[in-house]
Amino acid sequence: MNQIVEKIFKETDQFIAQHPPKSDYLLAGALGLGLYYSQLYEHYENDIYLDKSIRIVEEVFHKLDAGTPGLVGSSFSSGVAGLAYLTNFLAKKGLLEIDIEAEFDTLEEYLYNSAMKEIELDYVDYLHGAFGCIHYFTTRKDSERGRYYLNGLVDKLVSRAVAEENGTWFRNYVLKSAEEVNLGLAHGQCSMLMILMNAYDALDNPAPVKKIIRQGIEFILVQKRDINEEEGAYNIFPFQVNKQSPGEPIPNRLAWCYGDLNEVLLFYKAARFLGWEELKKLADLVGLQTLMRKDPSSTLIKDTHFCHGSSGVAQIYRSLYEESGITAYFKGYEYWIEQTVLMLENELKTDFYRGKEADLLEGLTGVGLTLLSFISPRDLRWSEMFLL
């Protein structure tokens, strides 16, 4: 199977090379391509790929210095947090010669101040708001300045948490509604609680955060519903909880961004973090149930892209296998890699990704990285940016 995957990967790589990115963004532009080429370098050890990756980062910085930035604000998806994350990712691997501590003083101050303002406004989205900056600072917690900023941001977040009888949650005005509690990995509780767990060991006052993580999970657990096979309803956890309209139908989507796999990944991480054995048992139960869902009606998977297509699901199953050691998850990983190959063959022929070829989250580079991780003997860590 490796040879088949490598063949389609090389075709995908050629497709990506022929279509330059249309922006500088991390999730939908040049910075995502920079991440992609850094991983090709790690696998193939060809300096051409490393040169491409470094050149992309340098060009984005040059635009910032020249006052003509191709980034928007401080966000992880399209702003400076994404640039900072990729630069630090490359520097920590020894692929980029830069003294982050010396060079990022002004940049990190900007990220901190921007995120503090966003938290005050409950604009805390992982991809588009304050949690993206916090996600970056969790990669800088080995430095005094990184820990200082991380502590300040998390302390501010704690003050904004909404504590209720059935658990704790965070408002997220990126979603335009104060009455909607998002639970997903892209915009909601699952990503927020994972990022807080990643920050925990750098905090000066960790006790309130540990309490919020547990209560945040308790809030999710209260939303648990039963599978209804007669009605074709397979997700156990809703995508969001609308305070004004509880009990809304749950779509069957199985994906990186939404669906039961988000909760399962969170539960495995939190069970270990909190010493919560019953939570691990629930993760086993829900996670293994998802493996039976393979057709489009029970997954809503119709294409390969990472956000809510087959490649993102494949990569989550790989992470679940690494978290749990359950071999059934690795079988699920192999199954969705196979489905990705089958669908991708047709997508390349039909120009399915026209205009998004170089995009990481919804284009070909995310698909390519998933396939690269499958064929590579190296432990490529690119998916850590996606909390996997």
Side-chain angles (χ1 to χ4, degrees):
M1 186 172 173
N2 268 44
Q3 290 180 336
I4 295 172
V5 175
E6 184 156 21
K7 180 177 180 294
I8 193 72
F9 167 74
K10 288 182 176 179
E11 292 176 18
T12 303
D13 180 55
Q14 291 177 354
F15 221 85
I16 293 169
Q18 294 167 4
H19 297 86
K22 296 184 176 181
S23 75
D24 284 347
Y25 305 162
L26 179 62
L27 297 191
L31 291 174
L33 194 60
L35 175 71
Y36 172 78
Y37 283 128
S38 77
Q39 300 302 275
L40 261 65
Y41 170 73
E42 287 198 47
H43 175 65
Y44 290 112
E45 297 185 340
N46 186 329
D47 287 342
I48 291 176
Y49 296 124
L50 181 58
D51 291 344
K52 287 183 178 181
S53 180
I54 292 174
R55 193 182 318 121
I56 286 171
V57 173
E58 289 177 343
E59 287 176 356
V60 174
F61 270 115
H62 177 72
K63 290 180 184 178
L64 282 178
D65 294 339
T68 57
L71 301 176
V72 180
S74 62
S75 78
F76 190 71
S77 63
S78 57
V80 175
L83 171 61
Y85 185 95
L86 176 59
T87 305
N88 191 46
F89 178 84
L90 298 177
K92 290 176 77 171
K93 288 178 171 292
L95 304 180
L96 180 63
E97 291 186 12
I98 181 173
D99 184 344
I100 297 290
E101 196 66 24
E103 299 291 336
F104 271 24
D105 190 1
T106 301
L107 184 149
E108 290 187 338
E109 182 181 14
Y110 165 72
L111 290 178
Y112 173 73
N113 290 332
S114 295
M116 288 293 275
K117 292 176 183 176
E118 288 174 334
I119 294 170
E120 187 68 35
L121 299 171
D122 294 318
Y123 199 87
V124 298
D125 199 88
Y126 150 51
L127 296 184
H128 306 299
F131 262 104
C133 295
I134 297 170
H135 180 38
Y136 162 68
F137 281 118
T138 64
T139 70
R140 288 274 292 131
K141 60 187 178 183
D142 56 342
S143 75
E144 183 177 350
R145 189 172 70 228
R147 286 194 303 273
Y148 173 80
Y149 286 151
L150 197 54
N151 273 275
L153 292 171
V154 172
D155 285 348
K156 187 72 171 178
L157 266 174
V158 168
S159 74
R160 303 296 297 180
V162 181
E164 296 182 349
E165 185 178 352
N166 64 348
T168 298
W169 55 280
F170 292 99
R171 294 184 180 90
N172 184 7
Y173 278 111
V174 169
L175 302 171
K176 311 299 183 188
S177 173
E179 299 301 322
E180 182 179 286
V181 187
N182 193 283
L183 302 185
L185 192 58
H187 306 291
Q189 291 274 103
C190 286
S191 58
M192 294 172 187
L193 297 178
M194 286 186 205
I195 290 170
L196 287 178
M197 280 189 275
N198 291 341
Y200 184 81
D201 61 358
L203 301 180
D204 297 331
N205 186 25
V209 176
K210 194 167 193 176
K211 182 179 179 181
I212 283 174
I213 292 169
R214 186 176 184 97
Q215 292 178 341
I217 290 170
E218 289 172 351
F219 182 89
I220 296 173
L221 293 175
V222 170
Q223 318 306 326
K224 183 176 176 290
R225 306 180 195 176
D226 293 328
I227 290 174
N228 190 329
E229 292 189 15
E230 291 184 2
E231 295 183 5
Y234 298 102
N235 270 326
I236 292 174
F237 294 97
F239 295 0
Q240 61 267 331
V241 179
N242 192 313
K243 295 290 188 176
Q244 296 176 332
S245 304
E248 292 181 340
I250 310 171
N252 278 335
R253 186 171 300 288
L254 199 67
W256 171 81
C257 55
Y258 286 106
D260 284 351
L261 291 176
N262 293 189
E263 280 79 12
V264 173
L265 182 61
L266 170 65
F267 292 169
Y268 278 126
K269 290 177 180 290
R272 184 175 63 253
F273 176 79
L274 297 168
W276 193 346
E277 183 60 28
E278 290 302 311
L279 191 63
K280 181 185 181 301
K281 292 178 181 177
L282 180 61
D284 290 343
L285 178 64
V286 178
L288 293 174
Q289 280 182 331
T290 66
L291 291 167
M292 295 185 285
R293 296 164 59 184
K294 294 181 176 178
D295 60 279
S297 64
S298 65
T299 63
L300 301 187
I301 294 174
K302 299 177 181 178
D303 53 51
T304 63
H305 78 259
F306 195 87
C307 185
H308 47 269
S310 61
S311 63
V313 169
Q315 199 66 23
I316 286 190
Y317 276 126
R318 178 180 175 130
S319 293
L320 293 180
Y321 170 69
E322 291 171 351
E323 288 286 340
S324 69
I326 296 175
T327 55
Y329 289 136
F330 195 81
K331 294 293 184 183
Y333 171 54
E334 291 180 318
Y335 173 82
W336 286 108
I337 287 291
E338 181 181 9
Q339 296 305 303
T340 298
V341 169
L342 293 173
M343 285 189 282
L344 187 57
E345 288 176 343
N346 183 62
E347 288 171 349
L348 294 179
K349 291 176 183 176
T350 59
D351 211 8
F352 176 80
Y353 283 106
R354 178 179 294 179
K356 290 188 173 184
E357 293 88 352
D359 288 8
L360 183 58
L361 189 58
E362 297 186 359
L364 280 175
T365 52
V367 181
L369 284 170
T370 301
L371 298 178
L372 182 65
S373 282
F374 183 82
I375 61 177
S376 181
R378 296 179 179 272
D379 185 19
L380 305 177
R381 306 309 300 174
W382 61 271
S383 63
E384 289 177 353
M385 65 168 289
F386 289 118
L387 303 174
L388 302 182

